[in-house]
Amino acid sequence: MKGYETLGIAAGHARIRAFVRGAGPTVVMLSGMGRPPSDLEAFGKAVADSGYKVAICEYRGVGESTGPLDGITFHDLAKDVIAVIDKVGGAPVALIGHAFGNRIARTLAADRPDLVSCVVMLGASGKVQPSPEIAAAIRIAQSMHLPRKDREAAVRLAWVGPGRDPSGWLDENWSQPFIKGAMAAAERTPLSEFWTAGKAPILIVQGLADVSAPPANGRSLKEEVGDRATLVELEGVGHSMAVEAPDECAKPVLDYLAKRVRR
């Protein structure tokens, strides 16, 4: 990733790559399920350029990061991120999770509140599920063996806002082993262990055109945790928000970090 330093970090039985740029308070980012760190390249640059050290983590089983995927829970994936924080420094850090990544960010905040100053969720998910039509589209979009035209139609339907460019999630950078391991990990990790991100301050950035993680997820979380959560909704933005609209997503995030993160 251009402009980022690449680090290889030992995390127990895993070895995790992280991509780092900028200087200032540390912000650690996690991409969607089975997605590469490059999804957050433009978004991370916008944050780093505003005076932060950004570290984007690569999940085990994605790219060059390695580690067991059988029998894991979200807590195991959170430990991988803890190893990155230990290496990069700057704790307590701001954690930003896009899509599936916000579940791991929430888990880490619940498990190790001493390491986390706040949690930013780009597209909250977990309770309100997509419709059967959208769930089917997601499966098609992630299936690399299907014709490109079928996948493109599915990506447009499930993941991007109206008129947005679907190419960011139409590529072949979907780690099928990680997706399988992560879905099994979700079954092993009760919502009660991560849903409210412990007691950390929360920013929820929700795309109103998100049909994969419907906006009701963010609204219900805000209602559940009250004043600890801030909810921002973006018109016309879909589930791939950090990819399809990095600058639009960065604005509310930077406004929030300016108030929450000490310099």
Side-chain angles (χ1 to χ4, degrees):
M1 295 189 352
K2 187 176 180 180
Y4 287 80
E5 177 189 4
T6 303
L7 302 178
I9 300 163
H13 295 295
R15 186 166 182 82
I16 306 300
R17 279 199 308 180
F19 299 84
V20 181
R21 73 180 297 156
T26 302
V27 179
V28 176
M29 299 184 179
L30 295 161
S31 56
M33 184 184 292
R35 293 297 301 164
S38 56
D39 272 9
L40 299 174
E41 184 173 358
F43 175 77
K45 180 180 183 302
V47 174
D49 287 350
S50 295
Y52 297 91
K53 178 192 285 186
V54 169
I56 307 177
C57 300
E58 182 177 72
Y59 298 113
R60 58 172 73 181
V62 176
E64 295 183 16
S65 293
T66 60
L69 291 168
D70 292 338
I72 64 170
T73 69
F74 287 175
H75 303 285
D76 296 300
L77 297 175
K79 288 177 182 176
D80 293 347
V81 184
I82 290 171
V84 173
I85 294 172
D86 289 343
K87 178 70 173 181
V88 174
V93 305
L95 280 178
I96 300 179
H98 178 205
F100 172 82
N102 81 65
R103 300 191 190 194
I104 307 308
R106 289 192 245 186
T107 303
L108 197 161
D111 290 350
R112 289 292 306 273
D114 57 307
L115 296 180
V116 180
S117 62
C118 61
V119 172
V120 176
M121 305 176 190
L122 304 180
S125 62
K127 287 188 177 179
V128 182
Q129 298 300 310
S131 70
E133 178 190 19
I134 298 303
I138 292 171
R139 290 192 292 272
I140 292 170
Q142 291 176 333
S143 298
M144 296 298 103
H145 65 281
L146 294 177
R148 183 181 175 88
K149 64 180 181 61
D150 294 342
R151 290 190 58 244
E152 180 172 352
V155 170
R156 288 185 183 279
L157 178 62
W159 285 332
V160 301
R164 302 282 184 175
D165 181 5
S167 62
W169 274 9
L170 188 57
D171 60 31
E172 297 182 358
N173 292 322
W174 293 89
S175 170
Q176 301 301 317
F178 183 85
I179 291 172
K180 180 180 178 181
M183 292 181 71
E187 294 294 324
R188 300 186 192 99
T189 312
L191 287 176
S192 60
E193 294 182 4
F194 72 90
W195 178 251
T196 61
K199 298 185 181 300
I202 299 169
L203 171 65
I204 307 160
V205 183
Q206 191 73 44
L208 289 177
D210 188 344
V211 293
S212 290
N217 279 294
R219 294 167 186 167
S220 67
L221 179 59
K222 165 64 178 170
E223 183 176 352
E224 184 173 347
V225 303
D227 292 342
R228 183 160 60 87
T230 301
L231 174 63
V232 175
E233 297 181 330
L234 301 178
E235 191 72 40
V237 176
H239 190 58
S240 68
M241 56 169 54
V243 181
E244 67 182 76
D247 293 335
E248 290 172 65
C249 291
K251 185 180 185 307
V253 172
L254 290 169
D255 290 344
Y256 185 81
L257 293 180
K259 299 172 185 176
R260 286 287 177 182
V261 176
R262 290 184 299 172
R263 292 186 180 276

